[in-house]
Amino acid sequence: MKKLFLTFSLSFLVIVAFAQTGTIRGKVTDQETGEELIGSTVIIKGTTTGAATDFEGNYAISNVAPGTYEIQFSYISYQNKVISNVVVTAGEVTILNVPLSTDSQQLQEVVVTAEVIRDTDAALVTVKRKSANVLDGISSETFKKIGDSDAASAIKRVPGVSIQGGKYVFVRGLGDRYTKTILNGMEIPGLDPDRNSIQMDIFPTNVVDNIIVKKSFTADLPADFTGGIVDVEIKDFPEEKTISFSGSMGVNSGMHFNDNYLTYDGGSTDFLGFDDGTRAIPFSSQSNLPREGLASSNPQLAQDLRTYTSAFDQTFAPTESTSSPNYSFGFSAGNQYNKDRYSIGFNSALNYRNTTEFYENAIDNSLYEKNADNSVNELDLDRKRTGSIGSNNVFISGLAGVAVKTDASKLKLAVLHVQNGESTSNRILEENFLQSFNKSERFAIQYTQRSITNAILSGEHYLGGSAITLDWKLTPTISSIQDKDVRQVPFTLEGEAREIQPSEGGNPRRLWRNLDEQNVSGKFSLTKEFQLNGNTSKLSVGSSYTFKNRDFTIDNFDFLVANEDQVSFGGDANNLLSPENIYDNGTGTYVAGTYQGSNSYSGEINNFGAFISGELALTENFKAIIGLRVEQFRQLYTGGDQDWFNSNGGQGIYYRNTEILNSFKPFPTANLIYNLNENSNLRGSYAKTIARPSFKEKSIAQIFDPLSNTFWIGNIDLIESDINNFDFRYEYYFRGGQTIAVSAFYKTFENPIEIVVVNQNTPDQFTARNNGNATVYGVEIEAKKNLEFISASLSNFNLNLNTSYIKSALKMDDVEYDARSNNLRDGETLERKRDMQGQSPYLVNAGLSYDNFDNGFEAALYYNVQGPSLARVGIGNIP
């Protein structure tokens, strides 16, 4: 018992002793290049207590008694630096990041009075200066100043970057097809099957270290990007112990506290972002539903049909309620522990966001046509859709990560899960003008449940005294998107009466759509430093592999009415399945349909890449990065058309795990960097990249969207788009992370993919098509400047300005050009070129921030605007 008591007492004293000490931690870098200085000596002056920097230039001195010290930093051929008045507090971490200057003449010592150095922005500027790519970015320090809660809000401050729909990144005004989003350098699938990039709003800023946007290609990157590649870097080693709670609330006067907000009763777990089973198909999707023609003469089949029909929830239309404001909560925690031979860091975060949108008197997908009379220049209104749209969106994300670092290695593991549930309701009045004039009113409600789970394991290993670096990463991802019990009822309006007339407005329907995707990506690279003309150069080789598998299925149920003249719904969609209106004795509502094979598909992608790249310091001021990447891309498809399923395989088209795309292509790249002086660079680059069709685009699937009442038609004949990229940039760097940069770019597109109307007779049907050839060119201007140069009293003010002007020109192919030519007005001429679909002509991001570190007050005002773009390409008399 005494031994136990003694052990406990000693342990307690040790804990108390450690709690009464502090830690000094930071990074040592080259002041001119920003490179980490490995093996620098850091010592508390007048003692033997100290540490050496590791392969990332980091150091940590633990168990330092509270007090004020002088810390000496030294490295061979660099000026010694002493930081005085460094205060260490019990139980806290003092951050001291120090740049050292070279001194080949004399090794003198510089004494600096200590202050807390917050250099995250400066570090990002350093990354830009020494990067082989033309890049821009935003740091976690800026997130805090602006107050952005997610990466989508933050990234639109980056030059040449805009956000569509509050979540999708456009770089240099190009659509998301030409922008790739990666997480910690690795590809992961998104939450939207209609997009090629991942939603940026799923990443809360409290887990993000930096967001880097690379606008020029180097051989170590995937080749399928053109506008830019967005790399979201998750924190791994916090400099100090952090525990953070956050909350926010937002109100839009047009959307919130509105009594006309459209919604409907869902499941008990909707507030957690997933359905509790309320919206599940009420019977097996493999069930063979009785046909009404047979049930009318067979009592047992009639009863079965009634049972199947009665199994569905009766709700078909939304109800009005009061809309709630937006709100969110966040929690994050992290710390770093330094041991004798290794360090451990961990990060964790949990975030919840609930947003509500309501558009009253919205104009939704109205259609216009050119008049048949060529002398009439005004467009004719074909159909007009107006109404109300309400939606509620719930996001929950969780992140857990751990990193272990030794003298020559770092291993990291991070797991991310995102859960999203979106409930949408609308009531749309449609008026048809050019055909037989009629009015219809559509009620639609939809619930979409999305989830993504990603794990990334990575390692960095420094071999042979850091002369050779081995990097590797492996990341599996599982994502799921489920549209659960999407419901639609079209009423034809006859005066004040609402009637269901399938010949005019179609049948009421309910559908379930399921998309499951598995993604595994891995890559490695070896980098060796060597001397060229007395300057340090690098040679890198590596390879990558990505596997994707997707399954997409649709279960569709139509609700028909037998002897409809004997059934009354009273204009109420919810009466469609009331007990007295359900099929009985050959009269009433009954269900028909099931699994939609022709609208379902599965696909597989295998992409193997290999690269070699040399970063050659040809002179002290001139660097060339020359590389070559090759990719072997293979895409498989399984699916059939309507004729094949209707004939039970007797006719029509069916692909069974068929290879629909196989290409082996080289992607050369050259980046040239000339240092005009220690503060400015002149850059030029050329690269060949590619844009590939998505699973959904390169298919024969026909997918109906009940909310917009449109059809997507797959195009199995799509081919890849080849792009040539030219970039030029001048950049000047001031102290403290201030910079001015002017960029120009020029791109050529061969067979660009655009979203187009299928034909002029079906303006509600869209597909993807290779359209002619195109060019895109533009300029970007960026300035980050402290206003101290105007007056010393403005030293706490910083101006942030970036703007882009972009011009696109697509040469129409003969199909589109001839169709447009045949619909010209009298005296009208037609140029062969037009704007590219999805291309914005200009972007402006401007901000003025105030930061007083002494009193802790920060404030900022930001403005962001994106120019209009062509959403879809019409044809013939469809604009």
Side-chain angles (χ1 to χ4, degrees):
M1 189 67 180
K2 288 183 178 180
K3 290 184 178 180
L4 181 61
F5 177 76
L6 181 60
T7 302
F8 176 80
S9 300
L10 290 174
S11 300
F12 177 76
L13 291 174
V14 169
I15 293 172
V16 171
F18 275 98
Q20 292 176 345
T21 63
T23 299
I24 302 172
R25 184 181 293 152
K27 174 176 283 192
V28 182
T29 57
D30 184 304
Q31 182 165 296
E32 294 183 1
T33 67
E35 296 280 355
E36 299 86 357
L37 295 181
I38 303 170
S40 303
T41 300
V42 185
I43 194 167
I44 299 176
K45 201 165 185 180
T47 74
T48 58
T49 302
T53 57
D54 61 17
F55 59 86
E56 292 183 315
N58 294 315
Y59 71 91
I61 306 175
S62 303
N63 306 324
V64 181
T68 301
Y69 298 93
E70 289 186 324
I71 311 300
Q72 177 176 292
F73 297 82
S74 59
Y75 192 66
I76 297 175
S77 77
Y78 282 74
Q79 292 178 344
N80 290 349
K81 181 175 285 189
V82 176
I83 308 294
S84 62
N85 299 327
V86 177
V87 178
V88 176
T89 305
E92 295 186 6
V93 176
T94 300
I95 305 299
L96 211 56
N97 298 317
V98 175
L100 297 182
S101 300
T102 58
D103 188 353
S104 57
Q105 302 299 319
Q106 57 181 348
L107 299 180
Q108 60 182 354
E109 182 174 275
V110 179
V111 179
V112 180
T113 301
E115 61 180 23
V116 177
I117 302 175
R118 304 187 306 163
D119 67 341
T120 311
D121 272 341
L124 188 55
V125 170
T126 300
V127 171
K128 291 174 61 174
R129 290 180 63 175
K130 65 180 184 179
S131 171
N133 311 82
V134 174
L135 65 80
D136 290 293
I138 188 169
S139 71
S140 56
E141 181 180 343
T142 305
F143 301 161
K144 296 173 184 177
K145 288 180 181 178
I146 300 173
D148 291 322
S149 61
D150 60 67
S153 301
I155 196 174
K156 61 187 179 185
R157 323 294 179 187
V158 175
V161 174
S162 59
I163 290 290
Q164 186 186 72
K167 58 188 101 175
Y168 299 107
V169 180
F170 282 29
V171 177
R172 288 175 167 171
L174 290 163
D176 73 293
R177 173 185 313 285
Y178 303 109
T179 301
K180 194 174 191 68
T181 305
I182 56 179
L183 179 64
N184 284 343
M186 298 298 288
E187 181 177 351
I188 62 174
L191 296 177
D192 190 335
D194 297 333
R195 301 282 184 166
N196 290 311
S197 63
I198 193 170
Q199 296 176 214
M200 290 295 292
D201 60 346
I202 70 173
F203 301 111
T205 50
N206 63 349
V207 304
V208 177
D209 197 22
N210 295 302
I211 304 176
I212 304 295
V213 181
K214 298 179 180 179
K215 299 177 180 177
S216 66
F217 176 66
T218 49
D220 59 314
L221 299 172
D224 55 338
F225 86 88
T226 301
I229 190 164
V230 180
D231 191 359
V232 181
E233 299 179 354
I234 302 298
K235 296 178 180 179
D236 55 6
F237 269 88
E239 291 182 320
E240 57 187 326
K241 182 179 180 180
T242 60
I243 298 178
S244 172
F245 295 91
S246 63
S248 70
M249 178 173 289
V251 175
N252 182 308
S253 60
M255 294 187 177
H256 303 131
F257 302 112
N258 191 312
D259 295 338
N260 299 322
Y261 173 68
L262 295 183
T263 185
Y264 76 103
D265 290 333
S268 60
T269 57
D270 286 3
F271 77 102
L272 294 176
F274 64 92
D275 177 58
D276 62 359
T278 299
R279 301 178 179 88
I281 300 176
F283 44 77
S284 171
S285 60
Q286 305 301 317
S287 301
N288 291 318
L289 301 182
R291 296 184 179 181
E292 192 277 330
L294 298 177
S296 61
S297 59
N298 186 317
Q300 182 57 53
L301 292 179
Q303 179 58 45
D304 291 344
L305 186 56
R306 181 178 176 83
T307 300
Y308 280 118
T309 306
S310 302
F312 290 90
D313 184 279
Q314 185 176 326
T315 303
F316 259 105
T319 57
E320 293 184 353
S321 180
T322 302
S323 52
S324 301
N326 300 335
Y327 58 94
S328 66
F329 306 99
F331 165 79
S332 63
N335 204 354
Q336 181 181 157
Y337 301 95
N338 301 110
K339 307 298 181 181
D340 291 339
R341 302 182 62 182
Y342 63 90
S343 298
I344 298 177
F346 79 87
N347 268 302
S348 61
L350 182 65
N351 292 273
Y352 178 87
R353 186 170 78 248
N354 192 311
T355 60
T356 299
E357 291 183 341
F358 180 54
Y359 297 94
E360 193 171 16
N361 301 318
I363 299 175
D364 177 53
N365 201 34
S366 295
L367 299 174
Y368 292 81
E369 291 185 6
K370 292 183 177 180
N371 193 283
D373 184 350
N374 288 341
S375 65
V376 178
N377 290 322
E378 297 298 324
L379 291 173
D380 290 334
L381 182 60
D382 180 347
R383 67 195 70 177
K384 182 180 180 181
R385 294 178 179 143
T386 58
S388 299
I389 305 171
S391 69
N392 179 250
N393 216 327
V394 174
F395 268 102
I396 297 180
S397 63
L399 172 76
V402 62
V404 179
K405 182 165 61 176
T406 66
D407 291 339
S409 296
K410 180 198 278 188
L411 294 175
K412 296 189 291 184
L413 173 64
V415 179
L416 171 72
H417 179 78
V418 178
Q419 188 70 43
N420 170 225
E422 181 178 9
S423 177
T424 306
S425 305
N426 67 14
R427 182 174 59 216
I428 302 297
L429 174 66
E430 180 174 310
E431 301 172 88
N432 293 321
F433 295 94
L434 297 186
Q435 301 172 4
S436 58
F437 180 82
N438 65 70
K439 292 183 180 181
S440 63
E441 190 169 26
R442 294 178 181 271
F443 298 90
I445 54 180
Q446 175 173 334
Y447 186 80
T448 301
Q449 176 179 305
R450 307 177 181 96
S451 67
I452 182 169
T453 303
N454 167 262
I456 180 167
L457 179 64
S458 63
E460 301 174 43
H461 308 277
Y462 291 78
L463 313 174
S466 78
I468 299 176
T469 305
L470 168 64
D471 288 315
W472 59 269
K473 295 178 180 179
L474 177 65
T475 176
T477 307
I478 299 173
S479 63
S480 174
I481 306 168
Q482 298 175 300
D483 290 320
K484 312 193 78 169
D485 202 357
V486 181
R487 313 169 203 182
Q488 182 196 56
V489 176
F491 280 111
T492 300
L493 300 183
E494 300 290 345
E496 297 298 323
R498 290 192 182 102
E499 297 180 1
I500 295 177
Q501 297 180 353
S503 60
E504 295 290 340
N507 293 310
R509 65 173 57 184
R510 298 169 87 139
L511 61 84
W512 282 256
R513 294 184 292 205
N514 295 283
L515 185 151
D516 295 300
E517 184 170 325
Q518 297 82 41
N519 186 322
V520 178
S521 296
K523 70 177 184 179
F524 83 92
S525 65
L526 279 169
T527 302
K528 178 175 174 56
E529 290 188 354
F530 63 95
Q531 295 296 310
L532 179 64
N533 299 327
N535 301 299
T536 300
S537 299
K538 299 178 182 179
L539 178 67
S540 300
V541 296
S543 67
S544 63
Y545 177 73
T546 298
F547 169 82
K548 297 181 181 180
N549 180 269
R550 175 182 289 185
D551 288 299
F552 180 78
T553 60
I554 296 180
D555 291 282
N556 181 78
F557 300 92
D558 284 341
F559 290 84
L560 311 179
V561 181
N563 293 323
E564 59 186 46
D565 56 335
Q566 299 181 29
V567 182
S568 175
F569 303 115
D572 187 348
N574 293 328
N575 287 335
L576 191 70
L577 292 181
S578 60
E580 65 273 13
N581 288 330
I582 291 180
Y583 185 83
D584 189 26
N585 293 324
T587 300
T589 306
Y590 64 93
V591 63
T594 181
Y595 168 71
Q596 298 285 293
S598 61
N599 297 333
S600 305
Y601 66 88
S602 62
E604 180 181 309
I605 285 177
N606 295 271
N607 188 11
F608 173 79
F611 76 91
I612 182 170
S613 178
E615 185 175 320
L616 310 176
L618 303 178
T619 69
E620 185 176 351
N621 296 324
F622 183 59
K623 183 187 295 185
I625 301 92
I626 309 297
L628 176 66
R629 183 179 184 86
V630 294
E631 288 189 357
Q632 171 66 56
F633 184 87
R634 186 167 179 257
Q635 185 170 342
L636 307 178
Y637 177 75
T638 298
D641 64 9
Q642 191 67 49
D643 290 338
W644 192 90
F645 282 95
N646 288 342
S647 64
N648 294 319
Q651 56 185 358
I653 301 173
Y654 189 81
Y655 296 86
R656 190 183 303 277
N657 209 33
T658 303
E659 183 179 273
I660 57 172
L661 182 57
N662 190 334
S663 69
F664 178 82
K665 291 187 176 181
F667 302 97
T669 174
N671 290 264
L672 306 177
I673 305 172
Y674 184 74
N675 300 119
L676 298 173
N677 54 54
E678 65 177 13
N679 294 321
S680 62
N681 291 329
L682 187 63
R683 297 175 179 267
S685 70
Y686 164 77
K688 185 178 180 66
T689 58
I690 197 167
R692 299 186 175 103
S694 68
F695 281 116
K696 176 181 173 180
E697 291 171 341
K698 195 170 177 63
S699 73
I700 58 173
Q702 301 182 16
I703 301 171
F704 174 67
D705 183 352
L707 290 185
S708 63
N709 201 35
T710 59
F711 277 91
W712 171 265
I713 310 297
N715 181 1
I716 199 73
D717 296 321
L718 277 178
I719 61 175
E720 299 165 312
S721 305
D722 294 310
I723 302 108
N724 292 294
N725 306 270
F726 301 86
D727 283 272
F728 307 92
R729 182 171 185 147
Y730 171 76
E731 51 196 24
Y732 189 91
Y733 298 96
F734 303 89
R735 63 179 179 84
Q738 303 176 79
T739 181
I740 292 178
V742 180
S743 305
F745 57 90
Y746 179 82
K747 301 176 185 292
T748 66
F749 294 75
E750 184 178 349
N751 301 309
I753 301 172
E754 295 189 310
I755 307 302
V756 304
V757 175
V758 173
N759 63 66
Q760 65 184 39
N761 297 319
T762 56
D764 285 341
Q765 295 184 9
F766 303 99
T767 188
R769 190 162 69 91
N770 295 106
N771 271 351
N773 295 320
T775 59
V776 174
Y777 56 92
V779 294
E780 296 173 345
I781 299 175
E782 176 191 8
K784 290 184 178 181
K785 195 74 178 73
N786 184 276
L787 300 187
E788 186 178 17
F789 73 96
I790 299 176
S791 169
S793 62
L794 299 177
S795 61
N796 292 327
F797 288 89
N798 290 279
L799 175 67
N800 294 274
L801 173 67
N802 62 77
T803 182
S804 305
Y805 172 78
I806 306 149
K807 181 68 176 176
S808 66
L810 180 139
K811 185 177 181 181
M812 292 180 279
D813 60 15
D814 291 340
V815 174
E816 181 182 353
Y817 184 76
D818 291 344
R820 293 185 183 280
S821 298
N822 293 334
N823 284 273
L824 293 179
R825 307 294 91 184
D826 290 345
E828 184 183 9
T829 59
L830 178 67
E831 295 184 4
R832 190 80 194 205
K833 294 182 178 180
R834 61 162 171 81
D835 291 346
M836 280 184 69
Q837 183 252 329
Q839 174 69 62
S840 294
Y842 61 84
L843 305 168
V844 177
N845 300 310
L848 181 66
S849 62
Y850 176 85
D851 185 356
N852 190 320
F853 182 67
D854 293 334
N855 61 26
F857 182 77
E858 298 179 6
L861 178 66
Y862 277 84
Y863 173 77
N864 170 267
V865 64
Q866 171 183 350
S869 61
L870 180 60
R872 297 185 179 96
V873 179
I875 192 169
N877 65 339
I878 305 299

